[in-house]
Amino acid sequence: MEQQNGNLIRDLVSKLHSTDKYWELYVLEENRERSENIGSLLNRLLQSLRNVWKQEGRERGKKELKKAGVTEKACEALMEETERTLRFYIQFEPLRDLDSRDRVALKGLILSIYQKYIVRLEPGYIKMLNLEGIRSEELQEIARYMDYMTDFYVSRSYTRWGIIRDLLDESGLSEEICDYWAELIEQNYMQLKMNYIVESLESIKEKL
């Protein structure tokens, strides 16, 4: 797998260089207009770097870029962009650890966050939770990210399978846990939809 990832990254970098020898400028200058071909190749490169990061870590991706002849500045810019696309994956690392150790406990945690923070709110509840291996500050951030993702799925009317597929990619959690998470959204869909509409109206009202 390591060799396959490295070969793909080197192949994409080679194609970028063949398309435009100054392709790194599109990475270093965010507002620089890209051709459709350059944009497509860069998106594929970022997806490959995402996969490498998930499987082997950040430094492996940077190492493969350097092997492909990418400059230090472009390497850092590409890895920073990859990190931005993996913000949910990185944030949910404590959940993946709990998933591997105690899946029942993880389901209980997800249910509690939905009952006390997302569907309804019990102020201060998340701060009172005490889970081995997860600091209180981490848990509060996890709950916030879960709330954001739930709003995203509900606002766009994702199907249950659509939610599961996206969660598998964004969170790295097991299919069993992603299915459980999606089921909680299904069970509370109308309430979540109403919550989203009310929050959107409040946001519009504040801007007026």
Side-chain angles (χ1 to χ4, degrees), residues 162-179:
I163 293 171
I164 293 171
R165 281 191 301 176
D166 192 69
L167 280 174
L168 286 168
D169 181 50
E170 293 292 346
S171 72
L173 294 167
S174 64
E175 186 168 350
E176 180 181 340
I177 290 298
C178 292
D179 180 70

PDB file of all heavy atoms in Angstrom, residues 162-179:
ATOM      1  N   GLY A 162     -26.298   8.048   2.318  1.00  0.00           N
ATOM      2  CA  GLY A 162     -25.422   9.176   1.998  1.00  0.00           C
ATOM      3  C   GLY A 162     -24.669   9.645   3.239  1.00  0.00           C
ATOM      4  O   GLY A 162     -23.478   9.972   3.171  1.00  0.00           O
ATOM      5  N   ILE A 163     -25.357   9.676   4.375  1.00  0.00           N
ATOM      6  CA  ILE A 163     -24.727  10.058   5.638  1.00  0.00           C
ATOM      7  C   ILE A 163     -23.643   9.058   6.009  1.00  0.00           C
ATOM      8  O   ILE A 163     -22.522   9.432   6.383  1.00  0.00           O
ATOM      9  CB  ILE A 163     -25.776  10.148   6.769  1.00  0.00           C
ATOM     10  CG1 ILE A 163     -26.752  11.306   6.507  1.00  0.00           C
ATOM     11  CG2 ILE A 163     -25.095  10.330   8.129  1.00  0.00           C
ATOM     12  CD1 ILE A 163     -27.937  11.329   7.444  1.00  0.00           C
ATOM     13  N   ILE A 164     -23.966   7.772   5.906  1.00  0.00           N
ATOM     14  CA  ILE A 164     -23.001   6.731   6.280  1.00  0.00           C
ATOM     15  C   ILE A 164     -21.740   6.828   5.425  1.00  0.00           C
ATOM     16  O   ILE A 164     -20.615   6.785   5.935  1.00  0.00           O
ATOM     17  CB  ILE A 164     -23.637   5.331   6.133  1.00  0.00           C
ATOM     18  CG1 ILE A 164     -24.747   5.148   7.165  1.00  0.00           C
ATOM     19  CG2 ILE A 164     -22.583   4.238   6.298  1.00  0.00           C
ATOM     20  CD1 ILE A 164     -25.584   3.904   6.963  1.00  0.00           C
ATOM     21  N   ARG A 165     -21.905   6.967   4.114  1.00  0.00           N
ATOM     22  CA  ARG A 165     -20.744   7.042   3.224  1.00  0.00           C
ATOM     23  C   ARG A 165     -19.863   8.239   3.556  1.00  0.00           C
ATOM     24  O   ARG A 165     -18.628   8.129   3.571  1.00  0.00           O
ATOM     25  CB  ARG A 165     -21.201   7.115   1.767  1.00  0.00           C
ATOM     26  CG  ARG A 165     -21.618   5.775   1.187  1.00  0.00           C
ATOM     27  CD  ARG A 165     -21.809   5.846  -0.305  1.00  0.00           C
ATOM     28  NE  ARG A 165     -22.821   6.836  -0.661  1.00  0.00           N
ATOM     29  CZ  ARG A 165     -23.137   7.163  -1.899  1.00  0.00           C
ATOM     30  NH1 ARG A 165     -22.513   6.602  -2.917  1.00  0.00           N
ATOM     31  NH2 ARG A 165     -24.079   8.050  -2.145  1.00  0.00           N
ATOM     32  N   ASP A 166     -20.492   9.381   3.818  1.00  0.00           N
ATOM     33  CA  ASP A 166     -19.712  10.574   4.130  1.00  0.00           C
ATOM     34  C   ASP A 166     -19.022  10.436   5.485  1.00  0.00           C
ATOM     35  O   ASP A 166     -17.855  10.822   5.634  1.00  0.00           O
ATOM     36  CB  ASP A 166     -20.614  11.813   4.129  1.00  0.00           C
ATOM     37  CG  ASP A 166     -19.797  13.099   4.150  1.00  0.00           C
ATOM     38  OD1 ASP A 166     -19.129  13.392   3.131  1.00  0.00           O
ATOM     39  OD2 ASP A 166     -19.807  13.797   5.186  1.00  0.00           O
ATOM     40  N   LEU A 167     -19.719   9.877   6.462  1.00  0.00           N
ATOM     41  CA  LEU A 167     -19.125   9.680   7.783  1.00  0.00           C
ATOM     42  C   LEU A 167     -17.932   8.731   7.731  1.00  0.00           C
ATOM     43  O   LEU A 167     -16.928   8.948   8.417  1.00  0.00           O
ATOM     44  CB  LEU A 167     -20.171   9.137   8.759  1.00  0.00           C
ATOM     45  CG  LEU A 167     -21.140  10.151   9.362  1.00  0.00           C
ATOM     46  CD1 LEU A 167     -22.204   9.431  10.191  1.00  0.00           C
ATOM     47  CD2 LEU A 167     -20.391  11.164  10.231  1.00  0.00           C
ATOM     48  N   LEU A 168     -18.048   7.667   6.944  1.00  0.00           N
ATOM     49  CA  LEU A 168     -16.936   6.728   6.818  1.00  0.00           C
ATOM     50  C   LEU A 168     -15.677   7.443   6.336  1.00  0.00           C
ATOM     51  O   LEU A 168     -14.570   7.193   6.829  1.00  0.00           O
ATOM     52  CB  LEU A 168     -17.297   5.605   5.842  1.00  0.00           C
ATOM     53  CG  LEU A 168     -18.281   4.552   6.347  1.00  0.00           C
ATOM     54  CD1 LEU A 168     -18.770   3.682   5.188  1.00  0.00           C
ATOM     55  CD2 LEU A 168     -17.633   3.678   7.420  1.00  0.00           C
ATOM     56  N   ASP A 169     -15.843   8.357   5.383  1.00  0.00           N
ATOM     57  CA  ASP A 169     -14.712   9.083   4.824  1.00  0.00           C
ATOM     58  C   ASP A 169     -14.223  10.177   5.770  1.00  0.00           C
ATOM     59  O   ASP A 169     -13.025  10.325   5.997  1.00  0.00           O
ATOM     60  CB  ASP A 169     -15.100   9.699   3.480  1.00  0.00           C
ATOM     61  CG  ASP A 169     -13.945  10.458   2.842  1.00  0.00           C
ATOM     62  OD1 ASP A 169     -12.847   9.893   2.750  1.00  0.00           O
ATOM     63  OD2 ASP A 169     -14.138  11.623   2.450  1.00  0.00           O
ATOM     64  N   GLU A 170     -15.147  10.945   6.326  1.00  0.00           N
ATOM     65  CA  GLU A 170     -14.769  12.114   7.128  1.00  0.00           C
ATOM     66  C   GLU A 170     -14.319  11.765   8.540  1.00  0.00           C
ATOM     67  O   GLU A 170     -13.473  12.461   9.112  1.00  0.00           O
ATOM     68  CB  GLU A 170     -15.941  13.099   7.204  1.00  0.00           C
ATOM     69  CG  GLU A 170     -16.300  13.766   5.891  1.00  0.00           C
ATOM     70  CD  GLU A 170     -15.226  14.730   5.411  1.00  0.00           C
ATOM     71  OE1 GLU A 170     -14.335  15.094   6.209  1.00  0.00           O
ATOM     72  OE2 GLU A 170     -15.276  15.133   4.236  1.00  0.00           O
ATOM     73  N   SER A 171     -14.882  10.713   9.133  1.00  0.00           N
ATOM     74  CA  SER A 171     -14.577  10.404  10.533  1.00  0.00           C
ATOM     75  C   SER A 171     -13.582   9.260  10.708  1.00  0.00           C
ATOM     76  O   SER A 171     -12.857   9.207  11.702  1.00  0.00           O
ATOM     77  CB  SER A 171     -15.865  10.059  11.284  1.00  0.00           C
ATOM     78  OG  SER A 171     -16.367   8.791  10.888  1.00  0.00           O
ATOM     79  N   GLY A 172     -13.569   8.306   9.755  1.00  0.00           N
ATOM     80  CA  GLY A 172     -12.718   7.138   9.908  1.00  0.00           C
ATOM     81  C   GLY A 172     -13.254   6.139  10.918  1.00  0.00           C
ATOM     82  O   GLY A 172     -12.567   5.176  11.277  1.00  0.00           O
ATOM     83  N   LEU A 173     -14.482   6.337  11.381  1.00  0.00           N
ATOM     84  CA  LEU A 173     -15.102   5.417  12.333  1.00  0.00           C
ATOM     85  C   LEU A 173     -15.591   4.165  11.618  1.00  0.00           C
ATOM     86  O   LEU A 173     -15.739   4.153  10.396  1.00  0.00           O
ATOM     87  CB  LEU A 173     -16.266   6.114  13.044  1.00  0.00           C
ATOM     88  CG  LEU A 173     -15.877   7.279  13.964  1.00  0.00           C
ATOM     89  CD1 LEU A 173     -17.108   8.082  14.360  1.00  0.00           C
ATOM     90  CD2 LEU A 173     -15.151   6.771  15.211  1.00  0.00           C
ATOM     91  N   SER A 174     -15.860   3.105  12.376  1.00  0.00           N
ATOM     92  CA  SER A 174     -16.323   1.847  11.796  1.00  0.00           C
ATOM     93  C   SER A 174     -17.695   2.031  11.154  1.00  0.00           C
ATOM     94  O   SER A 174     -18.456   2.948  11.511  1.00  0.00           O
ATOM     95  CB  SER A 174     -16.411   0.772  12.884  1.00  0.00           C
ATOM     96  OG  SER A 174     -17.384   1.116  13.856  1.00  0.00           O
ATOM     97  N   GLU A 175     -18.030   1.135  10.227  1.00  0.00           N
ATOM     98  CA  GLU A 175     -19.330   1.216   9.560  1.00  0.00           C
ATOM     99  C   GLU A 175     -20.468   1.043  10.564  1.00  0.00           C
ATOM    100  O   GLU A 175     -21.521   1.679  10.425  1.00  0.00           O
ATOM    101  CB  GLU A 175     -19.432   0.163   8.460  1.00  0.00           C
ATOM    102  CG  GLU A 175     -20.706   0.291   7.633  1.00  0.00           C
ATOM    103  CD  GLU A 175     -20.688  -0.540   6.364  1.00  0.00           C
ATOM    104  OE1 GLU A 175     -19.611  -1.080   6.022  1.00  0.00           O
ATOM    105  OE2 GLU A 175     -21.742  -0.648   5.723  1.00  0.00           O
ATOM    106  N   GLU A 176     -20.254   0.208  11.580  1.00  0.00           N
ATOM    107  CA  GLU A 176     -21.292   0.008  12.605  1.00  0.00           C
ATOM    108  C   GLU A 176     -21.610   1.308  13.328  1.00  0.00           C
ATOM    109  O   GLU A 176     -22.782   1.638  13.555  1.00  0.00           O
ATOM    110  CB  GLU A 176     -20.829  -1.046  13.613  1.00  0.00           C
ATOM    111  CG  GLU A 176     -21.848  -1.324  14.715  1.00  0.00           C
ATOM    112  CD  GLU A 176     -21.367  -2.354  15.715  1.00  0.00           C
ATOM    113  OE1 GLU A 176     -20.445  -3.129  15.392  1.00  0.00           O
ATOM    114  OE2 GLU A 176     -21.910  -2.383  16.840  1.00  0.00           O
ATOM    115  N   ILE A 177     -20.573   2.069  13.673  1.00  0.00           N
ATOM    116  CA  ILE A 177     -20.782   3.337  14.382  1.00  0.00           C
ATOM    117  C   ILE A 177     -21.382   4.386  13.450  1.00  0.00           C
ATOM    118  O   ILE A 177     -22.272   5.146  13.844  1.00  0.00           O
ATOM    119  CB  ILE A 177     -19.449   3.837  14.979  1.00  0.00           C
ATOM    120  CG1 ILE A 177     -19.016   2.930  16.130  1.00  0.00           C
ATOM    121  CG2 ILE A 177     -19.595   5.278  15.476  1.00  0.00           C
ATOM    122  CD1 ILE A 177     -19.964   2.879  17.314  1.00  0.00           C
ATOM    123  N   CYS A 178     -20.923   4.435  12.213  1.00  0.00           N
ATOM    124  CA  CYS A 178     -21.481   5.399  11.258  1.00  0.00           C
ATOM    125  C   CYS A 178     -22.959   5.111  11.007  1.00  0.00           C
ATOM    126  O   CYS A 178     -23.766   6.026  10.881  1.00  0.00           O
ATOM    127  CB  CYS A 178     -20.695   5.359   9.945  1.00  0.00           C
ATOM    128  SG  CYS A 178     -19.005   5.994  10.091  1.00  0.00           S
ATOM    129  N   ASP A 179     -23.311   3.830  10.938  1.00  0.00           N
ATOM    130  CA  ASP A 179     -24.704   3.438  10.758  1.00  0.00           C
ATOM    131  C   ASP A 179     -25.536   3.862  11.976  1.00  0.00           C
ATOM    132  O   ASP A 179     -26.664   4.348  11.829  1.00  0.00           O
ATOM    133  CB  ASP A 179     -24.791   1.928  10.552  1.00  0.00           C
ATOM    134  CG  ASP A 179     -26.228   1.458  10.347  1.00  0.00           C
ATOM    135  OD1 ASP A 179     -26.806   1.760   9.294  1.00  0.00           O
ATOM    136  OD2 ASP A 179     -26.764   0.791  11.256  1.00  0.00           O
TER     137      ASP A 179
END
